[in-house]
Amino acid sequence: MEPFRVHILGCGSALPTMKHLPTSQVVECRGKLFMIDCGEGTQLQMRKSSLSFTKLGHVFISHFHGDHCFGLIGMISTFGLLGRTATLNIYAPEALNDILEKQIAFFCRDLGYEVKFHAVDTKCHQVIYEDRSLTVETVPLQHRPSCCGYIFREKPTLPHIKRDMIDFYQIPISQINNIKNGQDYTLPDGTIVPNERLVEPADAPRAYAYCSDTKYMPELHKLLDGVTTLYHESTYATDNLAMAEKYNHSTAQQAASVARDAKVKQLLLGHYSSRYPDERVLLNEAKQIFNNVRLTNEMDIIDV
């Protein structure tokens, strides 16, 4: 299977600590890099992780709280200093556009490449990016400012050729694509070889959902159909449920409830409040509801 990974660059919340950096992730899919959120220090984390600046073409910002976007202008500036020429696409709520334009005009004169802004309607569930192998769709969330999550979905692939059967029937290479697309093969004597004898089923498409800052949404799982791995913010444990409700955040147990109801295979926790020096309290609470859950940490690389 082609690589489909998530690189954790930062998994803390608004108050910096010596343990965690603000939120940022990079999704790696079939040789392309997609960034989700860009908290302070993100570009340094990319350096540490040996992720290629030049392969990053798209940045998805969930909302305009500083711990999710303060690192963006610094990274844009660095790309200019490195001589970037390729367009950098930014997807974010409309409110960020004016601020970003002013920052670029003030700090990044003669940038040398285009920063193209794509306004995201955080109230809609829709596809906002598509290429030959992947789609990215928005997931409306409920936070204090406009906020959305993102789902990265692989497109279905063609079935795998059974090489031994191709050799056995001496099928020419010119027919491989036809067979992958479902055709039977007719031998020179007129015998028809059924397609299912020549191929193995394609790999099931994978999907990664990133649910940024949000209060608990009991119906959220309905938008996560087919998701393989779910990241869901888990700022608080149940001892701070009142804080979660006040500031529109979620507890680890609430994140686990979404994972359970969405029937995902794996849950990732993050966006930890600085009040928890040991995040295992969040992990233990989540495991009471959903078993396959893990804490994210900086420099983690997680297979979707």
Side-chain angles (χ1 to χ4, degrees):
M1 298 178 72
E2 292 283 344
F4 191 177
R5 308 184 183 106
V6 179
H7 299 256
I8 306 299
L9 304 184
C11 55
S13 55
L15 187 62
T17 69
M18 297 298 291
K19 187 176 182 181
H20 293 301
L21 278 75
T23 300
S24 183
Q25 301 181 7
V26 169
V27 175
E28 176 189 357
C29 186
R30 300 189 186 185
K32 297 179 181 178
L33 301 182
F34 304 86
M35 180 174 287
I36 319 174
D37 283 336
C38 190
E40 188 176 0
T42 291
Q43 61 174 320
L44 296 177
Q45 292 294 92
M46 283 196 71
R47 286 292 201 195
K48 291 178 182 178
S49 64
S50 298
L51 291 168
S52 172
F53 282 173
T54 58
K55 289 184 178 180
L56 179 63
H58 304 269
V59 179
F60 299 85
I61 302 296
S62 62
H63 63 293
F64 52 85
H65 275 162
D67 56 319
H68 295 258
C69 61
F70 276 171
L72 186 56
I73 188 61
M75 188 174 72
I76 288 172
S77 175
T78 295
F79 286 175
L81 294 173
L82 291 173
R84 183 187 181 103
T85 57
T87 298
L88 182 66
N89 294 276
I90 309 294
Y91 303 78
E94 176 63 39
L96 188 61
N97 189 20
D98 182 58
I99 297 170
L100 188 59
E101 285 183 348
K102 290 177 179 177
Q103 287 181 318
I104 292 174
F106 189 84
F107 293 110
C108 305
R109 297 174 185 175
D110 302 320
L111 193 57
Y113 69 96
E114 180 185 4
V115 177
K116 188 173 183 179
F117 189 88
H118 305 263
V120 172
D121 185 347
T122 60
K123 296 180 180 179
C124 292
H125 179 210
Q126 60 184 337
V127 173
I128 59 170
Y129 171 83
E130 183 173 9
D131 62 27
R132 294 176 61 185
S133 58
L134 180 80
T135 61
V136 181
E137 61 196 70
T138 53
V139 180
L141 300 175
Q142 296 182 30
H143 195 41
R144 286 168 290 166
S146 298
C147 184
C148 69
Y150 297 100
I151 301 177
F152 294 75
R153 293 189 190 273
E154 283 184 316
K155 290 184 176 180
T157 57
L158 295 175
H160 301 289
I161 289 290
K162 293 181 179 178
R163 187 70 216 185
D164 57 338
M165 299 302 290
I166 298 298
D167 293 340
F168 177 78
Y169 289 111
Q170 298 183 342
I171 298 174
I173 294 176
S174 62
Q175 297 303 306
I176 295 298
N177 283 338
N178 292 334
I179 293 170
K180 281 189 172 184
N181 281 286
Q183 291 188 15
D184 300 329
Y185 181 71
T186 303
L187 297 175
D189 65 0
T191 302
I192 296 177
V193 182
N195 182 264
E196 59 266 23
R197 189 178 296 175
L198 303 174
V199 297
E200 296 280 2
D203 298 322
R206 297 162 290 180
Y208 174 63
Y210 172 88
C211 290
S212 182
D213 298 13
T214 183
K215 74 176 188 179
Y216 174 55
M217 299 170 60
E219 303 299 308
L220 178 59
H221 68 277
K222 295 180 180 180
L223 300 179
L224 304 179
D225 182 55
V227 166
T228 314
T229 295
L230 167 66
Y231 167 88
H232 193 295
E233 74 119 295
S234 53
T235 307
Y236 298 107
T238 52
D239 63 334
N240 278 290
L241 178 60
M243 292 282 285
E245 293 174 346
K246 178 179 179 180
Y247 294 109
N248 284 356
H249 281 294
S250 298
T251 67
Q253 281 195 350
Q254 290 171 337
S257 296
V258 175
R260 176 199 62 200
D261 296 342
K263 296 180 173 59
V264 303
K265 294 182 179 179
Q266 180 178 207
L267 170 64
L268 310 179
L269 302 180
H271 200 267
Y272 315 121
S273 169
S274 60
R275 70 188 65 236
Y276 300 108
D278 186 348
E279 295 92 17
R280 283 178 295 182
V281 62
L282 303 173
L283 179 66
N284 293 335
E285 287 196 358
K287 282 191 170 183
Q288 295 174 19
I289 294 175
F290 186 82
N291 185 55
N292 191 16
V293 53
R294 63 179 286 179
L295 298 169
T296 57
N297 283 289
E298 283 76 5
M299 299 296 107
D300 281 353
I301 303 174
I302 300 163
D303 287 322
V304 171

